Amino acid sequence: MLRSSYYEDGILEIVVLGPMGSEEKSVSSSTKRIGQAIDELLKEDEIKSFLEHTKTKPQPVKVPENWMDAEIVNGIMGHVDTADLVIVNITPFDGIKGNPSPNVFYEIGLLHALGIPSICLAQKDTSIPFYVRTNRVLEVASFDIEVIKDALRSSFIKFLNPNDFTNFTDNRITQFYGGLPIVDISAAVGLATGYYENFLSRLIKKNGFLFRNNDKAERVIVVRPGNVMTDIELDKRKLEKTLTENGYKLTKKVTLENVDDPFRNINVDIVGNIVIDIPTTFYTLKRSPRMLALRDRLEGPGRMHPHPQRDLALLQLSERLLDRVQHILQYHIRKDAGDVYQELVDFTTIEQLPQLLKKYGAKPDS
């Protein structure tokens, strides 16, 4: 669910960043060879097996010199914004001795702030600044393609293995903010926090609604939208149809009582004894600054017509924003450990909901 799962959209996008030439028109030959090495790694049997297992199609590796944007900055920002993994070459430009490129470290700051998985690569004896010194920096003796492949192979296997949970977004910023990138302390945080405080925590708190109404409901499943660009009513119909096709009945507006204050009762939808909630507030993410900015960049003349590249980019960002909301909800639940029943909450999709209901013993036609 969380997009440490690169394969959620079925596409793997890898970007390579590195120092630019004096005229800002070319990348170093070492950066180009990193791109070539990654292309070859993706064809190796073990790595291919992960991609086949997750039904993921790798896209051509993106290296700045191949981008045709009129302004290179827009190209870099645009590709980084939807990348699943970014490889950063922090070695100085070919033939130039000294510290790594300041531009590259500006880009690393962007990756860290957005919480985008990244790996840094550097030639031995490169001066590595403090802020990335303790992070994932792989050193190579040379930029021969086989040397680069040997350096990256283990990290690629960890990243692509769906059963490996190595955190490729860990950095000084996320460490400071308790595991959250800067993007998480913005719109998605407020939305998730409001939903948690006003609804979810009231259910799962010790002595809360689930505890006091366990004859009606024993746990809660939060169902995330497939895409925040869709309409809540359409997803509600899809939810009911999916439940019906699997033999389940959704009972709407069941009242869970607050015995201390009857005016603060809560109405929920239930299957059997499980609260099912598809949060209306999640759909407001379509108005989030990142989503609006991406739409402005991608939409032009004929904006109402189908546009595969635009629609895919919006879908990817939608997934990422939903991942942020879920991450923050889980963050709040962990922070409230001891005050809430963490084990009584699950997150799922509409498609996966019937399987989860079955896991918890909800009987069809209940």
Side-chain angles (χ1 to χ4, degrees):
M1 293 291 300
L2 221 55
R3 214 167 152 221
S4 53
S5 305
Y6 63 91
Y7 47 81
E8 285 294 324
D9 60 0
I11 291 176
L12 176 65
E13 291 188 78
I14 298 176
V15 174
V16 180
L17 298 178
M20 304 299 294
S22 58
E23 297 180 358
E24 300 293 331
K25 291 181 180 178
S26 64
V27 296
S28 65
S29 60
S30 58
T31 301
K32 292 183 213 174
R33 286 197 291 271
I34 292 171
Q36 293 167 355
I38 294 170
D39 278 326
E40 292 188 16
L41 277 175
L42 293 174
K43 297 173 184 176
E44 292 187 356
D45 288 343
E46 184 173 9
I47 289 175
K48 278 178 62 178
S49 70
F50 292 134
L51 297 173
E52 290 169 358
H53 175 71
T54 57
K55 299 180 180 177
T56 301
K57 181 179 180 181
Q59 300 299 292
V61 176
K62 297 180 176 68
V63 181
E65 192 173 61
N66 299 330
W67 302 347
M68 303 303 293
D69 301 70
E71 185 174 3
I72 193 67
V73 171
N74 285 340
I76 291 173
M77 299 298 184
H79 286 294
V80 162
D81 201 36
T82 58
D84 294 295
L85 177 67
V86 178
I87 310 299
V88 186
N89 178 14
I90 61 176
T91 308
F93 192 82
D94 297 352
I96 300 176
K97 297 190 177 186
N99 293 321
S101 165
N103 289 338
V104 170
F105 280 90
Y106 186 96
E107 292 157 7
I108 289 175
L110 174 67
L111 299 176
H112 289 182
L114 294 180
I116 295 173
S118 61
I119 300 170
C120 290
L121 202 65
Q123 189 160 8
K124 286 182 179 178
D125 299 325
T126 295
S127 176
I128 300 175
F130 168 77
Y131 277 103
V132 297
R133 197 177 300 151
T134 59
N135 280 90
R136 190 176 292 100
V137 179
L138 306 177
E139 292 189 329
V140 293
S142 72
F143 281 94
D144 292 332
I145 288 179
E146 289 303 318
V147 174
I148 298 170
K149 286 163 62 178
D150 288 343
L152 287 175
R153 186 175 288 108
S154 175
S155 294
F156 262 59
I157 289 172
K158 289 179 180 179
F159 180 77
L160 295 173
N161 184 351
N163 296 316
D164 189 296
F165 300 100
T166 300
N167 183 4
F168 285 84
T169 64
D170 182 57
N171 59 67
R172 295 280 186 179
I173 295 173
T174 59
Q175 291 164 10
F176 182 80
Y177 286 110
L180 300 177
I182 285 177
V183 71
D184 276 355
I185 56 173
S186 57
V189 172
L191 185 152
T193 302
Y195 175 74
Y196 178 75
E197 290 294 331
N198 295 322
F199 180 76
L200 189 57
S201 68
R202 296 174 66 198
L203 287 173
I204 64 174
K205 275 182 181 177
K206 295 187 175 178
N207 209 34
F209 280 99
L210 292 183
F211 179 84
R212 292 184 174 223
N213 295 266
N214 63 0
D215 58 323
K216 296 179 181 177
E218 296 183 351
R219 65 181 311 109
V220 57
I221 297 176
V222 179
V223 181
R224 61 186 266 170
N227 182 351
V228 299
M229 303 302 294
T230 60
D231 183 83
I232 175 65
E233 295 304 323
L234 293 178
D235 273 353
K236 284 182 177 180
R237 291 180 191 175
K238 181 179 178 181
L239 174 68
E240 291 189 57
K241 181 180 178 183
T242 300
L243 290 172
T244 300
E245 288 174 347
N246 286 271
Y248 293 105
K249 179 182 178 183
L250 185 69
T251 304
K252 297 182 179 180
K253 298 189 182 302
V254 175
T255 300
L256 302 183
E257 297 178 353
N258 184 331
V259 296
D260 299 324
D261 184 357
F263 293 101
R264 290 180 59 83
N265 291 343
I266 189 170
N267 292 325
V268 296
D269 296 343
I270 287 180
V271 171
N273 61 354
I274 300 175
V275 175
I276 307 296
D277 191 59
I278 180 165
T280 304
T281 54
F282 285 14
Y283 294 83
T284 61
L285 285 171
K286 64 169 63 76
R287 299 289 303 168
S288 69
R290 284 191 72 196
M291 184 67 81
L292 291 174
L294 183 60
R295 290 174 69 181
D296 287 343
R297 288 203 307 272
L298 296 177
E299 292 183 344
R303 59 194 299 168
M304 298 305 292
H305 297 292
H307 189 299
Q309 183 180 3
R310 176 201 62 196
D311 295 342
L312 177 59
L314 290 173
L315 176 62
Q316 290 176 323
L317 185 53
S318 170
E319 278 288 324
R320 191 163 288 176
L321 290 172
L322 286 169
D323 287 341
R324 297 300 180 208
V325 172
Q326 182 177 329
H327 188 180
I328 296 157
L329 289 172
Q330 291 169 325
Y331 172 84
H332 283 306
I333 292 170
R334 289 195 305 271
K335 284 292 185 181
D336 285 350
D339 296 322
V340 299
Y341 295 107
Q342 301 180 67
E343 66 278 9
L344 298 185
V345 185
D346 287 281
F347 297 87
T348 192
T349 63
I350 293 174
E351 293 79 9
Q352 296 168 335
L353 178 57
Q355 184 177 354
L356 195 56
L357 289 169
K358 183 178 180 181
K359 172 184 173 182
Y360 289 118
K363 298 179 181 179
D365 297 321
S366 58

Short mmCIF file of all heavy atoms in Angstrom, two decimals, residues 2-5 83-86 108 110-119 135-136 159 165-176 179-184 320 324 327:
data_model
loop_
_atom_site.label_atom_id
_atom_site.label_comp_id
_atom_site.label_asym_id
_atom_site.label_seq_id
_atom_site.Cartn_x
_atom_site.Cartn_y
_atom_site.Cartn_z
N LEU A 2 1.73 1.39 1.02
CA LEU A 2 2.57 2.56 1.08
C LEU A 2 3.57 2.52 -0.05
O LEU A 2 4.12 1.47 -0.34
CB LEU A 2 3.30 2.58 2.42
CG LEU A 2 3.42 3.94 3.11
CD1 LEU A 2 2.04 4.54 3.29
CD2 LEU A 2 4.12 3.79 4.43
N ARG A 3 3.86 3.69 -0.64
CA ARG A 3 4.63 3.61 -1.84
C ARG A 3 6.13 3.56 -1.62
O ARG A 3 6.91 4.18 -2.30
CB ARG A 3 4.28 4.71 -2.82
CG ARG A 3 4.42 4.15 -4.22
CD ARG A 3 3.80 5.04 -5.22
NE ARG A 3 4.49 4.85 -6.46
CZ ARG A 3 4.83 5.80 -7.30
NH1 ARG A 3 4.52 7.03 -7.04
NH2 ARG A 3 5.45 5.54 -8.39
N SER A 4 6.51 2.84 -0.57
CA SER A 4 7.79 2.18 -0.61
C SER A 4 7.58 1.04 -1.61
O SER A 4 8.50 0.42 -2.09
CB SER A 4 8.17 1.64 0.77
OG SER A 4 7.13 0.84 1.27
N SER A 5 6.28 0.78 -1.89
CA SER A 5 5.91 -0.18 -2.92
C SER A 5 5.94 0.51 -4.27
O SER A 5 4.97 1.10 -4.70
CB SER A 5 4.50 -0.74 -2.64
OG SER A 5 4.43 -1.28 -1.36
N ALA A 83 9.38 10.21 -9.95
CA ALA A 83 10.34 9.10 -9.93
C ALA A 83 10.05 8.13 -8.79
O ALA A 83 9.59 8.51 -7.71
CB ALA A 83 11.76 9.64 -9.79
N ASP A 84 10.32 6.84 -9.05
CA ASP A 84 10.26 5.83 -7.99
C ASP A 84 11.59 5.75 -7.25
O ASP A 84 11.61 5.44 -6.06
CB ASP A 84 9.93 4.46 -8.60
CG ASP A 84 8.54 4.43 -9.19
OD1 ASP A 84 7.58 4.56 -8.43
OD2 ASP A 84 8.42 4.27 -10.42
N LEU A 85 12.68 5.99 -7.97
CA LEU A 85 14.02 5.92 -7.38
C LEU A 85 14.93 6.87 -8.15
O LEU A 85 14.87 6.92 -9.38
CB LEU A 85 14.56 4.48 -7.46
CG LEU A 85 15.99 4.25 -6.95
CD1 LEU A 85 16.06 4.47 -5.43
CD2 LEU A 85 16.46 2.83 -7.29
N VAL A 86 15.76 7.59 -7.42
CA VAL A 86 16.72 8.51 -8.04
C VAL A 86 18.13 8.11 -7.61
O VAL A 86 18.40 7.93 -6.42
CB VAL A 86 16.44 9.97 -7.65
CG1 VAL A 86 17.48 10.90 -8.28
CG2 VAL A 86 15.04 10.39 -8.09
N ILE A 108 19.54 16.99 -4.24
CA ILE A 108 19.43 16.04 -3.13
C ILE A 108 18.49 16.60 -2.06
O ILE A 108 17.66 15.88 -1.49
CB ILE A 108 20.82 15.74 -2.53
CG1 ILE A 108 21.64 14.91 -3.51
CG2 ILE A 108 20.68 15.00 -1.19
CD1 ILE A 108 23.07 14.67 -3.06
N LEU A 110 15.97 18.51 -2.58
CA LEU A 110 14.61 18.33 -3.08
C LEU A 110 14.14 16.90 -2.86
O LEU A 110 13.01 16.66 -2.41
CB LEU A 110 14.57 18.67 -4.57
CG LEU A 110 13.25 18.40 -5.29
CD1 LEU A 110 12.17 19.33 -4.79
CD2 LEU A 110 13.41 18.55 -6.81
N LEU A 111 15.00 15.92 -3.16
CA LEU A 111 14.64 14.51 -2.96
C LEU A 111 14.30 14.25 -1.50
O LEU A 111 13.32 13.57 -1.18
CB LEU A 111 15.79 13.61 -3.39
CG LEU A 111 16.21 13.67 -4.86
CD1 LEU A 111 17.43 12.78 -5.09
CD2 LEU A 111 15.09 13.27 -5.78
N HIS A 112 15.13 14.77 -0.61
CA HIS A 112 14.90 14.55 0.82
C HIS A 112 13.61 15.21 1.29
O HIS A 112 12.86 14.65 2.08
CB HIS A 112 16.09 15.09 1.62
CG HIS A 112 17.33 14.27 1.45
ND1 HIS A 112 18.51 14.54 2.12
CD2 HIS A 112 17.59 13.15 0.71
CE1 HIS A 112 19.43 13.65 1.79
NE2 HIS A 112 18.89 12.79 0.93
N ALA A 113 13.36 16.42 0.80
CA ALA A 113 12.16 17.14 1.22
C ALA A 113 10.89 16.46 0.74
O ALA A 113 9.87 16.44 1.44
CB ALA A 113 12.20 18.58 0.69
N LEU A 114 10.94 15.87 -0.47
CA LEU A 114 9.76 15.21 -1.03
C LEU A 114 9.62 13.76 -0.60
O LEU A 114 8.63 13.11 -0.90
CB LEU A 114 9.79 15.29 -2.56
CG LEU A 114 9.67 16.68 -3.17
CD1 LEU A 114 9.72 16.60 -4.69
CD2 LEU A 114 8.38 17.36 -2.73
N GLY A 115 10.64 13.24 0.07
CA GLY A 115 10.56 11.84 0.51
C GLY A 115 10.66 10.86 -0.64
O GLY A 115 10.01 9.82 -0.62
N ILE A 116 11.47 11.17 -1.64
CA ILE A 116 11.63 10.30 -2.81
C ILE A 116 12.82 9.37 -2.57
O ILE A 116 13.91 9.83 -2.21
CB ILE A 116 11.84 11.13 -4.08
CG1 ILE A 116 10.56 11.94 -4.37
CG2 ILE A 116 12.18 10.24 -5.27
CD1 ILE A 116 10.69 12.93 -5.50
N PRO A 117 12.67 8.06 -2.75
CA PRO A 117 13.77 7.13 -2.53
C PRO A 117 14.99 7.49 -3.37
O PRO A 117 14.85 7.81 -4.56
CB PRO A 117 13.17 5.78 -2.95
CG PRO A 117 11.70 5.94 -2.76
CD PRO A 117 11.41 7.37 -3.11
N SER A 118 16.17 7.43 -2.76
CA SER A 118 17.37 7.82 -3.50
C SER A 118 18.59 7.03 -3.01
O SER A 118 18.61 6.52 -1.89
CB SER A 118 17.63 9.32 -3.34
OG SER A 118 17.84 9.65 -1.99
N ILE A 119 19.59 6.94 -3.90
CA ILE A 119 20.88 6.33 -3.59
C ILE A 119 21.94 7.26 -4.16
O ILE A 119 21.82 7.73 -5.30
CB ILE A 119 21.03 4.94 -4.25
CG1 ILE A 119 19.94 3.98 -3.76
CG2 ILE A 119 22.41 4.36 -3.99
CD1 ILE A 119 19.89 2.67 -4.55
N ASN A 135 24.41 9.03 5.14
CA ASN A 135 23.35 8.40 4.36
C ASN A 135 23.91 7.34 3.42
O ASN A 135 25.09 7.01 3.46
CB ASN A 135 22.55 9.45 3.59
CG ASN A 135 21.52 10.13 4.47
OD1 ASN A 135 21.82 11.14 5.09
ND2 ASN A 135 20.32 9.58 4.55
N ARG A 136 23.05 6.86 2.54
CA ARG A 136 23.38 5.77 1.64
C ARG A 136 24.26 6.27 0.50
O ARG A 136 23.77 6.64 -0.56
CB ARG A 136 22.08 5.16 1.12
CG ARG A 136 22.21 3.86 0.37
CD ARG A 136 20.84 3.33 0.00
NE ARG A 136 20.10 2.90 1.17
CZ ARG A 136 19.16 3.64 1.76
NH1 ARG A 136 18.85 4.83 1.29
NH2 ARG A 136 18.54 3.21 2.82
N PHE A 159 15.74 -2.75 -3.01
CA PHE A 159 14.67 -1.82 -3.38
C PHE A 159 13.55 -2.53 -4.13
O PHE A 159 12.37 -2.26 -3.90
CB PHE A 159 15.24 -0.69 -4.24
CG PHE A 159 14.20 0.31 -4.67
CD1 PHE A 159 13.74 1.27 -3.79
CD2 PHE A 159 13.66 0.28 -5.96
CE1 PHE A 159 12.77 2.19 -4.16
CE2 PHE A 159 12.70 1.19 -6.34
CZ PHE A 159 12.25 2.15 -5.44
N PHE A 165 12.14 -4.32 3.33
CA PHE A 165 11.57 -3.04 3.75
C PHE A 165 12.65 -2.01 4.10
O PHE A 165 12.45 -1.14 4.95
CB PHE A 165 10.62 -3.26 4.94
CG PHE A 165 9.49 -4.19 4.61
CD1 PHE A 165 9.53 -5.52 4.99
CD2 PHE A 165 8.41 -3.73 3.88
CE1 PHE A 165 8.49 -6.38 4.65
CE2 PHE A 165 7.37 -4.59 3.54
CZ PHE A 165 7.41 -5.93 3.94
N THR A 166 13.79 -2.11 3.44
CA THR A 166 14.82 -1.09 3.61
C THR A 166 14.26 0.28 3.24
O THR A 166 13.58 0.44 2.22
CB THR A 166 16.03 -1.41 2.70
OG1 THR A 166 16.55 -2.69 3.07
CG2 THR A 166 17.12 -0.35 2.88
N ASN A 167 14.52 1.27 4.08
CA ASN A 167 13.97 2.61 3.88
C ASN A 167 14.93 3.45 3.04
O ASN A 167 15.95 3.93 3.54
CB ASN A 167 13.71 3.28 5.23
CG ASN A 167 13.06 4.64 5.08
OD1 ASN A 167 12.72 5.06 3.97
ND2 ASN A 167 12.89 5.33 6.19
N PHE A 168 14.60 3.66 1.79
CA PHE A 168 15.45 4.44 0.89
C PHE A 168 15.11 5.93 0.93
O PHE A 168 15.63 6.70 0.12
CB PHE A 168 15.34 3.91 -0.54
CG PHE A 168 16.07 2.62 -0.76
CD1 PHE A 168 15.49 1.40 -0.44
CD2 PHE A 168 17.38 2.62 -1.25
CE1 PHE A 168 16.18 0.20 -0.62
CE2 PHE A 168 18.07 1.44 -1.44
CZ PHE A 168 17.47 0.22 -1.12
N THR A 169 14.22 6.33 1.84
CA THR A 169 13.92 7.75 2.01
C THR A 169 14.52 8.31 3.29
O THR A 169 14.33 9.47 3.61
CB THR A 169 12.39 8.00 2.03
OG1 THR A 169 11.82 7.36 3.17
CG2 THR A 169 11.75 7.46 0.76
N ASP A 170 15.24 7.49 4.03
CA ASP A 170 15.83 7.93 5.29
C ASP A 170 16.92 8.97 5.02
O ASP A 170 17.83 8.75 4.21
CB ASP A 170 16.41 6.72 6.02
CG ASP A 170 17.00 7.11 7.36
OD1 ASP A 170 16.27 7.68 8.19
OD2 ASP A 170 18.21 6.87 7.57
N ASN A 171 16.86 10.12 5.67
CA ASN A 171 17.86 11.16 5.51
C ASN A 171 17.80 12.09 6.72
O ASN A 171 17.01 11.89 7.64
CB ASN A 171 17.63 11.94 4.20
CG ASN A 171 16.26 12.58 4.14
OD1 ASN A 171 15.96 13.50 4.88
ND2 ASN A 171 15.40 12.07 3.24
N ARG A 172 18.66 13.10 6.73
CA ARG A 172 18.73 14.01 7.88
C ARG A 172 17.39 14.70 8.15
O ARG A 172 17.02 14.93 9.30
CB ARG A 172 19.79 15.08 7.61
CG ARG A 172 21.21 14.55 7.52
CD ARG A 172 21.80 14.33 8.89
NE ARG A 172 23.21 13.96 8.80
CZ ARG A 172 23.98 13.72 9.84
NH1 ARG A 172 23.47 13.78 11.05
NH2 ARG A 172 25.25 13.39 9.68
N ILE A 173 16.67 15.03 7.09
CA ILE A 173 15.39 15.72 7.27
C ILE A 173 14.36 14.79 7.89
O ILE A 173 13.70 15.13 8.87
CB ILE A 173 14.88 16.28 5.92
CG1 ILE A 173 15.82 17.36 5.42
CG2 ILE A 173 13.46 16.83 6.07
CD1 ILE A 173 15.50 17.85 4.02
N THR A 174 14.20 13.60 7.31
CA THR A 174 13.20 12.67 7.84
C THR A 174 13.57 12.22 9.25
O THR A 174 12.69 11.99 10.08
CB THR A 174 13.03 11.44 6.93
OG1 THR A 174 14.29 10.76 6.81
CG2 THR A 174 12.56 11.84 5.55
N GLN A 175 14.85 12.10 9.53
CA GLN A 175 15.27 11.75 10.89
C GLN A 175 14.84 12.84 11.88
O GLN A 175 14.36 12.54 12.98
CB GLN A 175 16.79 11.56 10.94
CG GLN A 175 17.28 10.32 10.19
CD GLN A 175 18.77 10.35 9.91
OE1 GLN A 175 19.50 11.20 10.41
NE2 GLN A 175 19.23 9.44 9.07
N PHE A 176 14.99 14.09 11.49
CA PHE A 176 14.64 15.21 12.37
C PHE A 176 13.14 15.26 12.63
O PHE A 176 12.69 15.55 13.74
CB PHE A 176 15.10 16.53 11.74
CG PHE A 176 14.83 17.73 12.59
CD1 PHE A 176 15.66 18.06 13.66
CD2 PHE A 176 13.73 18.54 12.34
CE1 PHE A 176 15.40 19.15 14.45
CE2 PHE A 176 13.47 19.65 13.13
CZ PHE A 176 14.30 19.97 14.18
N GLY A 179 10.73 10.65 10.95
CA GLY A 179 10.44 9.74 9.86
C GLY A 179 9.65 10.36 8.73
O GLY A 179 9.35 9.69 7.74
N LEU A 180 9.29 11.64 8.84
CA LEU A 180 8.45 12.29 7.83
C LEU A 180 9.28 13.27 6.99
O LEU A 180 10.00 14.10 7.54
CB LEU A 180 7.31 13.07 8.48
CG LEU A 180 6.32 12.26 9.33
CD1 LEU A 180 5.30 13.20 9.95
CD2 LEU A 180 5.65 11.19 8.51
N PRO A 181 9.17 13.20 5.65
CA PRO A 181 9.79 14.24 4.82
C PRO A 181 9.01 15.55 4.95
O PRO A 181 7.89 15.58 5.45
CB PRO A 181 9.68 13.67 3.41
CG PRO A 181 8.54 12.72 3.48
CD PRO A 181 8.52 12.16 4.86
N ILE A 182 9.62 16.64 4.50
CA ILE A 182 9.00 17.95 4.64
C ILE A 182 7.61 18.00 4.01
O ILE A 182 6.70 18.65 4.52
CB ILE A 182 9.90 19.05 4.03
CG1 ILE A 182 11.08 19.31 4.98
CG2 ILE A 182 9.14 20.35 3.81
CD1 ILE A 182 12.08 20.31 4.47
N VAL A 183 7.44 17.30 2.88
CA VAL A 183 6.14 17.33 2.21
C VAL A 183 5.03 16.82 3.13
O VAL A 183 3.87 17.18 2.98
CB VAL A 183 6.19 16.51 0.91
CG1 VAL A 183 6.26 15.01 1.20
CG2 VAL A 183 5.00 16.82 0.01
N ASP A 184 5.39 16.00 4.11
CA ASP A 184 4.38 15.46 5.02
C ASP A 184 3.94 16.45 6.08
O ASP A 184 2.98 16.18 6.81
CB ASP A 184 4.92 14.21 5.72
CG ASP A 184 4.75 12.96 4.89
OD1 ASP A 184 4.13 13.03 3.82
OD2 ASP A 184 5.24 11.92 5.32
N ARG A 320 0.80 8.89 -4.54
CA ARG A 320 1.81 9.37 -3.59
C ARG A 320 1.17 10.17 -2.47
O ARG A 320 1.54 10.05 -1.30
CB ARG A 320 2.85 10.20 -4.35
CG ARG A 320 4.08 10.51 -3.54
CD ARG A 320 5.22 10.96 -4.43
NE ARG A 320 5.75 9.83 -5.19
CZ ARG A 320 6.69 9.95 -6.12
NH1 ARG A 320 7.18 11.13 -6.39
NH2 ARG A 320 7.13 8.89 -6.76
N ARG A 324 0.97 9.40 1.56
CA ARG A 324 1.33 10.32 2.63
C ARG A 324 0.27 10.34 3.72
O ARG A 324 0.58 10.31 4.91
CB ARG A 324 1.52 11.74 2.07
CG ARG A 324 2.63 11.89 1.06
CD ARG A 324 3.96 11.53 1.64
NE ARG A 324 5.01 11.68 0.65
CZ ARG A 324 6.14 10.99 0.63
NH1 ARG A 324 6.36 10.09 1.55
NH2 ARG A 324 7.05 11.19 -0.29
N HIS A 327 0.46 7.18 5.65
CA HIS A 327 1.68 7.19 6.46
C HIS A 327 1.47 8.03 7.71
O HIS A 327 1.86 7.64 8.82
CB HIS A 327 2.83 7.76 5.61
CG HIS A 327 4.18 7.64 6.26
ND1 HIS A 327 5.32 8.09 5.65
CD2 HIS A 327 4.57 7.13 7.44
CE1 HIS A 327 6.36 7.86 6.44
NE2 HIS A 327 5.92 7.30 7.53
#
